[in-house]
Amino acid sequence: MSTPDALQQIEGTFGDLDLWDARTTAGFVPEPGSPLALDDEDWKPWRLSQLAIGGLAASHDHLEAIRVHIEARRLFPLATDTLLRGALLGAAQAVWLLAPEDQATRLDFSRCAAAEMHRRHREWLSDLRKIPAEPHEGTEKVYAHVFKREGELQAKREAIGQARKFDSTNIIERAAAAAFGPATATEARTVWRALSGAAHGLSWPMLGRVGTQQTSAVDDDGMADFRSGGSLDASLNGYFLAYRLSVKGWELLDLRGSVPA
């Protein structure tokens, strides 16, 4: 079930989605001499600016997919939440990276995110290498390059005593606190956990939500049948958390990427 008010609220964000589409298509380069340009010098294989705009682009991509479903008047009880999860994490990653005022913290977070990028890429390539009967020259070259970069970044981090792990839940909490205040961290975490449940094919996020209805009488064991459907009302919190973090992320990208007056 979706109310006209929920539809109107979400449709009110579509103008920003259009603007973000144009910006992600054009790419982003920080102004020379800006804080973000200086940050980018720290680890050029995965520059902070590109990690941030990559998160914003991922968030926009997922929000745009939800828009397509809305315009087609087709929502899903789990798939919509799965898209919201991707939108939330992408936007939160950008805010998490860009929000700290001091460069040392930004670079700590950036190196952590870059290490995760290298690790995940290397793991995928490692599996890819095992598939063909004969080694594939291109895959071997890319694997060797990624392995080398991962080791170089690890050595760089170890030399300055950095060992932070990429923790999606913590990133969501930190981003929400930075954007909306510390009191919102727990609420953001509850939204994130529910969306993650849906993304992992678990049914519990549908329990007790708008759009879920009891369809049979309770039996002697206290059990009953339920049916769940897609609902904009049920998706409002997740949608606007991802959307507003995206708004904040774009603001921070422009702030850090500009030379102070």
Side-chain angles (χ1 to χ4, degrees):
M1 179 181 69
S2 299
T3 62
D5 183 58
L7 177 61
Q8 185 178 27
Q9 288 183 60
I10 291 178
E11 286 181 334
T13 69
F14 289 172
D16 283 333
L17 296 191
D18 292 336
L19 293 174
W20 297 340
D21 181 66
R23 292 201 64 178
T24 55
T25 301
F28 177 81
V29 178
E31 292 182 8
S34 66
L36 195 49
L38 298 176
D39 292 344
D40 280 355
E41 293 297 315
D42 182 71
W43 186 249
K44 292 184 178 180
W46 279 111
R47 301 178 184 185
L48 195 158
S49 66
Q50 301 312 302
L51 291 168
I53 198 170
L56 292 170
S59 184
H60 169 264
D61 195 57
H62 287 78
L63 292 176
E64 189 68 27
I66 293 171
R67 176 183 182 173
V68 171
H69 288 169
I70 291 173
E71 292 176 340
R73 295 300 188 262
R74 183 73 191 277
L75 295 174
F76 305 86
L78 292 177
T80 300
D81 280 1
T82 300
L83 289 169
L84 286 172
R85 180 182 188 268
L88 175 55
L89 182 56
Q93 177 178 294
V95 173
W96 171 67
L97 288 167
L98 295 167
E101 292 289 342
D102 63 293
Q103 185 187 49
T105 302
R106 292 198 304 273
L107 294 183
D108 181 13
F109 292 172
S110 177
R111 293 168 191 148
C112 173
E116 180 74 357
M117 288 285 193
H118 286 311
R119 180 176 75 87
R120 295 291 188 179
H121 194 186
R122 187 254 307 158
E123 288 176 343
W124 177 75
L125 288 165
S126 180
D127 286 339
L128 194 63
R129 297 169 69 214
K130 300 172 185 176
I131 296 175
E134 297 293 334
H136 183 271
E137 182 180 356
T139 302
E140 293 299 320
K141 286 182 177 179
V142 175
Y143 177 83
H145 179 74
V146 172
F147 184 84
K148 176 176 178 290
R149 291 301 193 197
E150 183 182 23
E152 290 171 344
L153 180 56
Q154 181 178 347
K156 181 183 181 78
R157 297 180 73 207
E158 288 178 350
I160 52 179
Q162 291 181 342
R164 184 182 301 278
K165 301 293 185 181
F166 191 90
D167 183 336
S168 298
T169 302
N170 182 258
I171 288 171
I172 301 295
E173 293 171 342
R174 283 179 173 268
F180 316 121
T184 63
T186 300
E187 183 178 356
R189 186 173 67 243
T190 63
V191 173
W192 167 248
R193 292 195 191 284
L195 299 179
S196 294
H200 286 87
L202 305 178
S203 299
W204 69 260
M206 294 186 291
L207 302 177
R209 58 176 281 172
V210 177
T212 299
Q213 298 177 333
Q214 184 175 330
T215 58
S216 73
V218 178
D219 63 22
D220 292 340
D221 294 321
M223 307 297 290
D225 294 328
F226 290 82
R227 180 176 62 195
S228 186
S231 167
L232 289 181
D233 295 85
S235 300
L236 274 178
N237 282 348
Y239 186 92
F240 276 97
L241 179 57
Y243 165 74
R244 287 170 180 156
L245 281 174
S246 287
V247 171
K248 184 65 174 180
W250 285 108
E251 290 176 352
L252 287 168
L253 189 74
D254 290 335
L255 175 66
R256 305 292 183 219
S258 301
V259 177

